[in-house]
Amino acid sequence: MDRVEDIESRIASAGASFAALRAEMGRLIVGNEDLIQQVFIALVCGGHCLLEGVPGLGKTLMVRCLGEVLSLTFSRIQFTPDLMPADITGTNVLTDDPSGRKVFEFQRGPVFAHIVLADEINRATPKTQSALLEAMQEQSVTVSGKAHRLESPFMVLATQNPIEMEGTYPLPEAQVDRFFFKVLLQYPSREELSRIADLTTACAPGGLREILDASGVLQIREWVREVPLADTVKDYAVRLILGTHAQKEHGTGMAGLARKFVLYGSSPRGLQSLILAAKARALLSGRPNVSFEDIRMMVVPSLRHRLILNLEADAEGISAEKILDELVAQVPEIL
Amino acid sequence: MSQARDIVASKTAEIVAWEKRKQREQLLAAACFYSLLVATLASPLYGSFFSGMMRWFMPVAVVLVLAPPMLFLRRWRHGDSVRALVRADRALRLEERALTAWELLQRDAQETAGLLVFKQAGEKLAGLEAKKLFGRTWTWQVFLLIPLSAIWFGLLWFNPRFDFDRTGRPSRPALAYELREFSRELQAKAKTEDLRESLRLSRELERVAQKGIDSSAGKEQMRSALAAVMKRIDAAEKSVADPHSFAAGESQQSLTDLKTELQAARDLANFSPGDKPHDVRAPWLERLAAMPQLKRRFEESRGLDPRLNPSELKSFLDRLERQVTRELDRRGLLDAQQFLQRMVNRGNEQRAENEAEVDGHGNPESSVDAARTENSGSLPGTEPGKKPQGLAQLPEFPGGAPTHLEGLLGAGESSGMPVKGQPTVGKSKMAQEEIIASYRRQAEAELSSEHVPEALKETVKQYFLSLGSAPQQ
């Protein structure tokens, strides 16, 4: 049985690793500290992230840096309308074996990496999207009846361009629900823009230091699941999920905006995401247990993409973030 | 690690126990507040249902009724323990460590990761003193308890009267004040005129009246005290009555004049036992010229007897004075008896009026009026069953509404002459002389009041006297 000292060192190690990672990535990534935290939390929780932001905010750079710092392989897939599923998963190619015979050899696709950046996923056809989504769900691809396991840890960061939506294939809500987090990239501030200019137009800074490796990430994944969760805190998370539902029989009917603008509330996946993310946050903050604050901070990234709003919300400009903020303000921590 | 678990177990139990105790205290304080509030609001009813020491225990009785359901409905639950520990977490900035550790203890979890939770929670909780950290907070009911207690205590101590009966019935103290006033007047008169029985009775009446004013006597007690006094008046009046005395037929004024003249003539009858008997007739007759009442009595008793010595004169005067005093005393007792009878009658009439008004039927109709009302539809020119047109509609009588005007407390000016109705056939219980004397007294009282002009008083008096003597002539 582990001793208390082991647990203490474990928590300290996880916190220190994350702090070092943030500091290291901060050398190249300006601002977006919440983004780095949420992406890392999604990684250690075994989830995938949906990134949304205008082009040029550094999404690709951020994912590449993350791979470097964590010693994880990185690949980028640019989705286009003519992209085929085999372009993602790989395909069997006829080659010559050493004896000269013709054999089919499986050529791995770009999905066979630890971290996959699926750029503008909404531009590809649904068939191609589903190939990636299958890989996300099963962590394996099946080609010609043969299953090929993907790397572990495996994380997909998919991006959607909110500007050029014409001729695109938006992800269905059922598929969006499979993403652990939806992270919004904010436009940098004046000081951040100034620093970006310094970093990118002057001499390139040196490479990033490796902070963790794949085994370290997997180790943290195990530790995350062991973080104790009090029933009262769990009940708070449950009431928040129920609060996203407009119908009183499913939800608590507490939030007025949810009652008025939400068509369908969060699925149970939202609760899993919320609790796992809260555990990860507690661990990375150096605490041995989950607090109400952890739950509150993880509500928006966990649930913002899981609420289906009605046309009235669209007309009145009510966003999911606004509904979730009101929900957090109204739902009490304890009854 | 078991030490950390023990610390967490003991300290969380201490926090929960302290919070539980505070909650119970607040509930009891709230129960005390509401019971005092009920007792204060219901204090006007105390006089009707409770008396004496019972009133002081009303809040205790209400607390005994209120407290158990309040304590049951707000009994300590699991959620209360959770709330208490969350408060402790916030106060100590533990970020739900205490709560998590407590829950791990509750379910006896053996998770490895929980060990650190116990350790960190135990370190912070070890030095905790729940009573110091979480002091008592008093609700608004507790702060209002003391002023409310003062109000309730004041209401019971000073015992203000809350009269819900607005029919104008004179309250017991008003009658008592009236009785005391009468008794003092009678006392003053009895002392002046040396009327022993009247003086004794007036003092007794004053005692009864004072008891009524001090509210130490209840309604029934006053009534029975007055009845006892009236019986004594009856007995005293019979003991001083002398049916053969000339004074029974005399008016009050003539008796008073006679008594005054007797006192003035005393010196003529004073002599030492050693003096020689001598004839005092001449100086006596000379003195009598200015004393018409005494002169008349003397002439009636002595006639033309030429001799009159002082002892005879003295005995005459003594006898006459005794008769006059006894008669005045008797009349004083009669006045008192009539006064008490009027008081009793007035109380009975007003009680009957109150009962009629409380029923909401107003004054009871006489049988004639009832018949007239019933047959109003059969007046000529009207259809049966329909109210006749042109008759004024009586306003709606709101049942139970007061129909008396409230006036000043106490007896006001009044003058009147009670007139008896037709007597029923049978034996009279009062002597004719008494009746006549009573009428004469009342007539003289009216004459001596302001209603008859001064210049005409003698004329009116002589007229009524002539009526009495006319048949004899």
Side-chain angles (χ1 to χ4, degrees):
Chain A
M1 187 171 167
D2 293 342
R3 298 174 305 156
V4 176
E5 292 75 20
D6 297 336
I7 301 167
E8 273 180 324
S9 64
R10 176 195 303 178
I11 291 175
S13 161
S17 300
F18 175 65
L21 179 144
R22 198 157 52 183
E24 191 62 23
M25 287 184 68
R27 289 175 56 219
L28 287 184
I29 308 297
V30 179
N32 287 315
E33 288 180 359
D34 288 345
L35 168 68
I36 294 170
Q37 183 194 42
Q38 287 166 17
V39 169
F40 187 71
I41 285 175
L43 178 65
V44 298
C45 291
H48 311 282
C49 280
L50 189 60
L51 301 179
E52 190 171 287
V54 295
L57 292 183
K59 294 186 288 293
T60 310
L61 178 63
M62 190 271 298
V63 177
R64 184 178 294 121
C65 289
L66 188 65
E68 269 188 56
V69 167
L70 296 176
S71 308
L72 299 175
T73 57
F74 162 75
S75 70
R76 179 175 177 275
I77 306 172
Q78 178 63 55
F79 279 62
T80 56
D82 58 349
L83 194 70
M84 302 301 289
D87 297 332
I88 296 174
T89 59
T91 186
N92 286 323
V93 175
L94 192 63
T95 59
D96 293 330
D97 67 356
S99 62
R101 280 193 307 156
K102 299 283 183 189
V103 293
F104 278 104
E105 187 181 333
F106 177 67
Q107 292 283 333
R108 291 179 163 195
V111 77
F112 284 87
H114 287 107
I115 299 178
V116 176
L117 176 62
D119 224 344
E120 294 184 288
I121 191 172
N122 55 328
R123 291 184 68 192
T125 59
K127 186 174 177 182
T128 308
Q129 289 172 1
S130 65
L132 178 64
L133 293 167
E134 182 193 344
M136 283 165 53
Q137 190 67 27
E138 307 297 331
Q139 213 154 351
S140 68
V141 297
T142 305
V143 177
S144 302
K146 189 176 177 187
H148 302 272
R149 291 292 305 171
L150 297 174
E151 303 285 347
S152 192
F154 175 70
M155 185 169 83
V156 171
L157 287 101
T159 67
Q160 289 191 123
N161 188 345
I163 301 175
E164 293 171 356
M165 299 297 281
E166 287 186 8
T168 62
Y169 303 91
L171 282 175
E173 284 77 14
Q175 305 301 330
V176 170
D177 193 43
R178 294 177 191 277
F179 286 90
F180 192 83
F181 274 168
K182 180 176 178 183
V183 185
L184 298 182
L185 280 86
Q186 305 296 332
Y187 201 83
S189 64
R190 180 177 168 181
E191 292 75 22
E192 289 169 351
L193 270 177
S194 178
R195 181 131 191 274
I196 288 170
D198 291 338
L199 283 174
T200 55
T201 59
C203 299
L208 294 174
R209 193 165 51 94
E210 289 181 2
I211 304 298
L212 269 178
D213 59 7
S215 61
V217 172
L218 291 172
Q219 183 80 76
I220 293 177
R221 263 194 199 178
E222 285 179 19
W223 295 342
V224 163
R225 289 186 175 261
E226 290 177 8
V227 174
L229 173 68
D231 290 340
T232 308
V233 180
K234 183 174 63 180
D235 181 66
Y236 176 55
V238 168
R239 283 186 284 111
L240 284 170
I241 297 298
L242 290 174
T244 62
H245 290 263
Q247 296 86 359
K248 198 106 185 260
E249 55 267 25
H250 297 301
T252 57
M254 294 191 67
L257 289 179
R259 256 203 313 276
K260 199 174 171 190
F261 297 115
V262 172
L263 203 55
Y264 295 106
S266 168
S267 67
R269 278 204 198 100
L271 179 63
Q272 296 164 4
S273 165
L274 182 58
I275 289 178
L276 271 174
K279 285 187 173 185
R281 185 176 184 273
L283 180 68
L284 299 178
S285 303
R287 277 181 281 105
N289 62 286
V290 181
S291 68
F292 292 117
E293 182 68 13
D294 295 327
I295 299 286
R296 272 197 296 275
M297 295 307 292
M298 293 293 105
V299 164
V300 172
S302 297
L303 302 181
R304 60 157 51 110
H305 56 293
R306 302 180 199 271
L307 302 186
I308 299 171
L309 305 182
N310 55 23
L311 289 175
E312 204 175 332
D314 204 22
E316 293 196 28
I318 302 293
S319 63
E321 286 83 0
K322 195 168 180 182
I323 293 172
L324 292 169
D325 287 339
E326 189 206 45
L327 187 72
V328 167
Q330 285 196 354
V331 174
E333 289 171 359
I334 42 177
L335 285 179
Chain B
M1 190 39 56
S2 64
Q3 188 185 4
R5 285 176 79 104
D6 293 340
I7 292 172
V8 168
S10 67
K11 286 298 176 181
T12 53
E14 182 184 325
I15 292 169
V16 168
W18 173 239
E19 292 292 327
K20 199 186 284 189
R21 179 176 158 183
K22 281 196 313 185
Q23 188 203 51
R24 215 171 283 151
E25 287 173 358
Q26 285 178 354
L27 280 172
L28 284 174
C32 288
F33 170 80
Y34 288 117
S35 62
L36 258 180
L37 188 65
V38 167
T40 304
L41 293 173
S43 60
L45 300 176
Y46 285 171
S48 304
F49 295 108
F50 302 105
S51 60
M53 291 301 291
M54 280 294 295
R55 302 176 302 157
W56 296 93
F57 290 97
M58 174 67 101
V60 175
V62 178
V63 159
L64 291 175
V65 169
L66 272 184
M70 282 178 73
L71 288 170
F72 177 74
L73 289 172
R74 278 295 289 118
R75 62 190 181 276
W76 193 259
R77 293 185 169 92
H78 176 80
D80 296 314
S81 300
V82 168
R83 266 188 287 277
L85 290 169
V86 168
R87 270 200 293 276
D89 273 326
R90 286 206 187 117
L92 299 171
R93 295 173 190 267
L94 281 173
E95 292 170 310
E96 281 71 63
R97 282 181 183 81
L99 174 65
T100 306
W102 179 72
E103 287 198 8
L104 290 173
L105 276 175
Q106 295 285 307
R107 59 180 188 234
D108 199 21
Q110 302 296 330
E111 303 162 5
T112 309
L115 298 175
L116 187 57
V117 178
F118 283 119
K119 182 182 175 222
Q120 291 186 357
E123 281 168 3
K124 281 274 187 155
L125 291 174
L128 169 78
E129 283 189 41
K131 289 185 183 177
K132 277 188 184 172
L133 188 61
F134 308 111
R136 284 188 175 84
T137 53
W138 298 110
T139 57
W140 60 271
Q141 288 100 334
V142 174
F143 290 111
L144 288 180
L145 208 54
I146 293 176
L148 189 61
S149 301
I151 292 171
W152 169 77
F153 185 82
L155 280 175
L156 254 62
W157 184 262
F158 295 108
N159 197 18
R161 297 276 175 193
F162 295 96
D163 192 1
F164 294 109
D165 182 0
R166 299 176 61 190
T167 58
R169 177 179 61 187
S171 59
R172 191 158 26 100
L175 289 174
Y177 281 116
E178 211 176 313
L179 182 64
R180 187 174 72 173
E181 199 59 38
F182 173 78
S183 67
R184 283 180 178 172
E185 284 174 7
L186 185 61
Q187 245 181 79
K189 182 183 168 188
K191 278 179 187 170
T192 309
E193 297 179 4
D194 193 25
L195 309 176
R196 275 186 297 174
E197 290 297 327
S198 296
L199 183 65
R200 193 168 57 82
L201 167 76
S202 62
R203 284 176 178 161
E204 200 163 332
L205 279 178
E206 189 178 5
R207 274 198 297 277
V208 171
Q210 197 59 43
K211 276 186 188 171
I213 290 169
D214 295 339
S215 306
S216 59
K219 283 185 197 174
E220 287 305 318
Q221 282 175 336
M222 260 205 81
R223 215 173 277 149
S224 60
L226 287 176
V229 168
M230 284 176 74
K231 276 186 190 165
R232 279 196 281 278
I233 292 174
D234 225 7
E237 191 253 324
K238 281 177 185 154
S239 72
V240 298
D242 184 358
H244 304 295
S245 166
F246 76 95
E250 290 293 324
S251 68
Q252 182 76 16
Q253 189 61 47
S254 60
L255 286 176
T256 310
D257 292 341
L258 181 58
K259 193 164 170 86
T260 309
E261 289 172 5
L262 279 167
Q263 284 168 357
R266 272 286 159 192
D267 62 319
L268 210 61
N270 291 338
F271 61 95
S272 321
D275 287 350
K276 288 184 184 173
H278 57 280
D279 190 4
V280 295
R281 189 181 173 82
W284 172 243
L285 289 176
E286 195 179 324
R287 182 69 70 83
L288 279 183
M291 300 177 185
Q293 295 290 339
L294 188 55
K295 181 182 176 184
R296 187 157 60 89
R297 294 285 158 253
F298 181 76
E299 283 171 357
E300 285 172 5
S301 70
R302 295 291 296 181
L304 296 171
D305 189 345
R307 296 177 62 79
L308 180 71
N309 60 43
S311 62
E312 288 174 342
L313 180 63
K314 190 172 184 298
S315 70
F316 166 72
L317 291 175
D318 287 343
R319 190 177 66 248
L320 196 61
E321 189 168 3
R322 270 199 307 276
Q323 286 179 352
V324 169
T325 303
R326 283 166 80 98
E327 181 59 24
L328 285 173
D329 207 359
R330 191 184 70 86
R331 292 183 185 190
L333 291 173
L334 275 178
D335 285 342
Q337 195 175 47
Q338 286 177 359
F339 175 81
L340 290 176
Q341 191 60 48
R342 276 203 298 278
M343 278 183 71
V344 169
N345 292 343
R346 196 168 53 172
N348 289 337
E349 283 167 8
Q350 284 165 346
R351 199 179 307 122
E353 281 179 8
N354 296 343
E355 286 169 2
E357 286 165 2
V358 167
D359 288 343
H361 298 304
N363 292 324
E365 292 178 344
S366 65
S367 58
V368 175
D369 289 337
R372 192 180 305 133
T373 307
E374 275 183 11
N375 297 328
S376 63
S378 60
L379 290 172
T382 62
E383 292 181 18
K386 278 196 180 178
K387 286 182 183 175
Q389 291 177 2
L391 286 177
Q393 295 290 331
L394 291 174
E396 285 288 327
F397 181 74
T403 57
H404 278 64
L405 292 175
E406 284 186 3
L408 297 173
L409 286 177
E413 287 186 4
S414 65
S415 66
M417 189 180 297
V419 176
K420 293 184 182 177
Q422 289 184 354
T424 54
V425 175
K427 195 172 178 183
S428 170
K429 293 178 184 175
M430 289 182 76
Q432 183 182 3
E433 293 80 10
E434 277 185 29
I435 301 293
I436 294 171
S438 169
Y439 287 172
R440 190 171 295 159
R441 281 198 300 281
Q442 287 167 17
E444 286 178 355
E446 283 298 315
L447 279 175
S448 60
S449 68
E450 295 174 356
H451 295 137
V452 179
E454 193 67 34
L456 295 177
K457 279 187 181 175
E458 193 57 34
T459 308
V460 171
K461 178 183 171 182
Q462 292 303 327
Y463 168 74
F464 280 105
L465 285 174
S466 68
L467 289 178
S469 60
Q472 292 173 10
Q473 289 175 0

